[in-house]
Amino acid sequence: MRRPRGEPGSRAPRPTEGATCAGPGESWSPPNSMLRILLSAQTSPARLTGLLLIPPLQPCCLGPSKWGDRPLGGGPPAGPVQGLQRLLEQARNPGELLRWLSQNPTKVRAHHYPVALRRLGQLLVSQPRPPPVEQATLQELSQLIVRNCPSFDVHTIHVCLHLAVLLGFPSDGPLLCALEQERRSRLPPKPPSPQHPAFQGEQRLEAALSCPRFLRYPRQHLITRLAEARPEELTPHVMVLLAQHLARHRLREPPLLEAIAHFLVVQEAQLSSKVVQKLVLPFGRLNYLPVEQQFMPCLERILAREAGVAPLATVNILMSLCQLQHLPLRALQFVFSPSFINHISGTPHSLIVRRYLSLLDTAVELELPGYRGPRLPRRQQVPIFPQPLITDRARCKYSHKDIVSEGLRQLLGEEKYRQDLTVPPGYCTDFLLCVSSSGAVLPVRTQDPFLPYPPRSCPQGQAASNPTTPDPAQRVVLILQERWHFCRGGRVLLGSRALRERHLGLMGYQLLPVPQPCS
């Protein structure tokens, strides 16, 4: 395989992760203006609506490569094919990118073209002043894709189409037309939808939320635009999309959260519990109690109305309320009733419902001293969080847990702490130590690391508001505080984290936060 002329023996640096979000225009946009298309306050509805032409078969953005392990349109890459993909990912300018494709026709596979488009976008955003791109380079790259797109599979066509739109290729140009024609020839056409003003407004809002640039770096003018949208534009679909966006990206934006709360109260009679569970999700996850005074009464009425219709949705709503330290007694009595428990037994989601019910039962035990209703039977209880949360496992390489573990090993020795220990009723702790009244750290094997549950200071069914234990040794739990444990851009713990710390404290464990060291 030949290297590009004029640059023998050189290796390009690995690409910097980046993203761009330019919508389709009527002509190719220069790089500098292309990056401002959707960040401009004067973004036209046509550009925003154009993003909706891409069916969201699979999320795609101009970030890190997603095709290295599974090529899009062929078997697994091997040998020269894999080497070509690596060279495309390391191309230093659009000209070099094009030369790798045009000079190696026998080694180019379908999945290489999405890699090339993605790398082109990275080159345009990875530098403060992107290099100029010659029209001939863009035209030749477009022609290569047009000639070969009939051999693409459906997924590769969707990815190339999506990336081409984001890069600003003209909507009536040969590239988008060829890709769109291939897409239509393989998928059944959708029936035309009415284009009344409210529908167009919904499209604009959905497009703004679906924009990859907004997903990664939300802009204040877009947030303001959504918060000030006309009432007819705020449909359940758009509000659910907004709620999911805020929850997924940990965005604790009070104006938007208040808009969702107000929408839920106003549309109470028209909303099913399956929709409500999605609307209420960000409030619990982001640990945000809205100012809207009718928010909690509205949710209690919805639970009373539809508790028996959708069991999983009912429990999901209660979980969000539990994170907000609000447990409606009537709804608790219903989900702990034998009829409800028998109804969910044997269903596909029975395990997750039982896990949520176990957490709710723990909340009742620790936080509701006056509750005298039914409880979850012991035989139905399961560990709540028996292992580190999914987000911690997925981001373990960014965590400082190994650093803390090594520090404890060197300072105390391995026999004086336990890592990832699950304590009753099922909370996984980061690190647990037993400390005597004099402050000495005791070997864990000489002590029972678990505090009794329910706490000894409270009989079964009563809260442990002031937990005490006759055991002189204190159980100290080191709580790692990673940046993804908090709402984005702030120091407010996510709802699930705050709930775990609150319950561990009520059970008698001494909590010692360990902030993430500054990088």
Side-chain angles (χ1 to χ4, degrees):
M1 185 182 298
R2 293 179 296 170
R3 294 186 174 274
R5 291 186 295 271
E7 299 170 352
S10 61
R11 288 184 60 87
R14 295 196 65 82
T16 303
E17 181 176 340
T20 184
C21 186
E26 297 179 356
S27 61
W28 173 262
S29 302
N32 290 337
S33 62
M34 183 191 69
L35 299 179
R36 297 194 297 267
I37 287 180
L38 286 181
L39 301 181
S40 166
Q42 290 79 26
T43 299
S44 66
R47 291 187 182 275
L48 286 175
T49 307
L51 287 177
L52 298 180
L53 296 175
I54 314 303
L57 187 68
Q58 182 170 338
C60 180
C61 65
L62 300 180
S65 174
K66 299 183 180 179
W67 304 290
D69 298 329
R70 184 182 63 83
L72 305 173
V81 175
Q82 186 178 16
L84 178 58
Q85 176 171 326
R86 187 181 304 110
L87 292 172
L88 291 173
E89 291 174 340
Q90 296 177 350
R92 290 170 293 184
N93 53 67
E96 181 179 333
L97 191 69
L98 180 61
R99 287 196 295 273
W100 284 128
L101 289 175
S102 59
Q103 293 179 4
N104 299 277
T106 62
K107 300 178 179 64
V108 176
R109 300 294 183 267
H111 71 275
H112 288 138
Y113 293 100
V115 174
L117 289 174
R118 177 185 56 80
R119 182 56 182 157
L120 177 61
Q122 288 180 334
L123 290 171
L124 295 178
V125 300
S126 62
Q127 304 177 17
R129 293 184 178 181
V133 183
E134 297 180 358
Q135 289 288 340
T137 301
L138 298 174
Q139 291 176 0
E140 190 170 348
L141 177 60
S142 175
Q143 291 170 2
L144 282 174
I145 299 176
V146 169
R147 285 200 303 266
N148 292 278
C149 68
S151 64
F152 294 176
D153 61 18
V154 174
H155 182 70
T156 304
I157 291 174
H158 278 272
V159 173
C160 287
L161 188 58
H162 189 69
L163 292 172
V165 169
L166 296 182
L167 286 169
F169 279 88
S171 58
D172 56 350
L175 177 58
L176 286 182
C177 289
L179 291 171
E180 179 66 16
Q181 183 178 357
E182 288 294 330
R183 184 189 72 85
R184 291 179 182 274
S185 67
R186 304 178 191 213
L187 298 175
K190 295 183 179 181
S193 53
Q195 296 293 325
H196 50 78
F199 181 80
Q200 292 178 354
E202 177 180 344
Q203 277 191 336
R204 289 195 295 271
L205 292 174
E206 183 175 352
L209 289 170
S210 302
C211 170
R213 185 74 180 185
F214 181 61
L215 294 180
R216 291 176 176 269
Y217 311 104
R219 294 298 188 218
Q220 189 60 43
H221 75 271
L222 285 176
I223 294 175
T224 303
R225 178 177 182 177
L226 290 169
E228 296 177 351
R230 295 190 302 272
E232 63 270 16
E233 296 180 4
L234 301 180
T235 64
H237 173 70
V238 167
M239 300 307 289
V240 165
L241 189 66
L242 175 60
Q244 292 174 337
H245 169 81
L246 296 177
R248 182 182 303 115
H249 298 279
R250 300 179 285 114
L251 295 175
R252 200 173 190 264
E253 296 290 343
L256 295 181
L257 290 168
E258 291 295 340
I260 296 174
H262 181 72
F263 176 84
L264 195 151
V265 171
V266 172
Q267 300 291 330
E268 172 188 347
Q270 286 73 38
L271 299 177
S272 66
S273 57
K274 293 185 178 180
V275 175
V276 172
Q277 67 174 341
K278 300 175 182 178
L279 293 176
V280 78
L281 171 66
F283 296 96
R285 173 167 169 74
L286 302 173
N287 204 4
Y288 181 85
L289 183 64
V291 180
E292 175 63 58
Q293 296 183 354
Q294 290 300 313
F295 180 74
M296 289 299 180
C298 171
L299 290 177
E300 293 188 19
R301 290 192 296 268
I302 293 174
L303 286 171
R305 184 185 74 208
E306 299 203 7
V309 178
L312 182 58
T314 299
V315 176
N316 283 335
I317 296 173
L318 280 175
M319 281 294 299
S320 295
L321 294 181
C322 179
Q323 292 173 344
L324 295 174
Q325 303 185 57
H326 183 86
L327 294 170
L329 298 181
R330 184 176 177 183
L332 289 174
Q333 293 171 357
F334 178 82
V335 298
F336 288 145
S337 65
S339 59
F340 182 87
I341 295 174
N342 292 335
H343 178 65
I344 61 102
S345 299
T347 59
H349 47 262
S350 60
L351 178 59
I352 187 65
V353 172
R354 287 171 56 198
R355 180 162 293 164
Y356 288 170
L357 290 179
S358 299
L359 191 147
L360 290 172
D361 186 83
T362 300
V364 169
E365 176 71 41
L366 299 174
E367 300 183 39
L368 288 184
Y371 182 80
R372 295 295 182 270
R375 297 278 297 276
L376 184 66
R378 292 294 181 188
R379 67 179 184 277
Q380 296 285 350
Q381 295 182 8
V382 296
I384 303 173
F385 298 113
Q387 55 187 350
L389 297 180
I390 294 177
T391 53
D392 286 335
R393 299 200 303 271
R395 303 182 181 185
C396 60
K397 64 180 180 180
Y398 307 110
S399 173
H400 66 294
K401 177 178 285 189
D402 290 342
I403 300 176
V404 176
S405 177
E406 180 62 20
L408 291 174
R409 187 186 68 81
Q410 295 184 13
L411 291 173
L412 304 176
E414 295 181 355
E415 72 281 358
K416 292 188 177 181
Y417 72 93
R418 294 286 299 274
Q419 182 174 344
D420 295 333
L421 179 67
T422 299
V423 301
Y427 279 112
C428 182
T429 59
D430 296 321
F431 299 95
L432 188 141
L433 296 78
C434 297
V435 181
S436 67
S437 56
S438 62
V441 180
L442 307 174
V444 178
R445 67 175 183 274
T446 65
Q447 304 288 325
D448 183 0
F450 305 120
L451 291 177
Y453 178 83
R456 292 173 183 169
S457 61
C458 300
Q460 173 75 16
Q462 294 186 3
S465 56
N466 294 297
T468 59
T469 174
D471 192 339
Q474 294 290 328
R475 274 63 172 179
V476 178
V477 176
L478 302 187
I479 303 290
L480 295 187
Q481 293 186 339
E482 311 284 4
R483 63 180 181 276
W484 55 86
H485 295 172
F486 298 86
C487 298
R488 189 181 297 272
R491 299 304 297 170
V492 178
L493 271 176
L494 296 178
S496 59
R497 303 285 172 177
L499 178 66
R500 183 184 71 149
E501 294 189 12
R502 186 167 71 247
H503 284 183
L504 287 174
L506 290 173
M507 287 187 286
Y509 294 93
Q510 302 298 315
L511 306 183
L512 180 61
V514 181
Q516 186 175 30
C518 298
S519 55

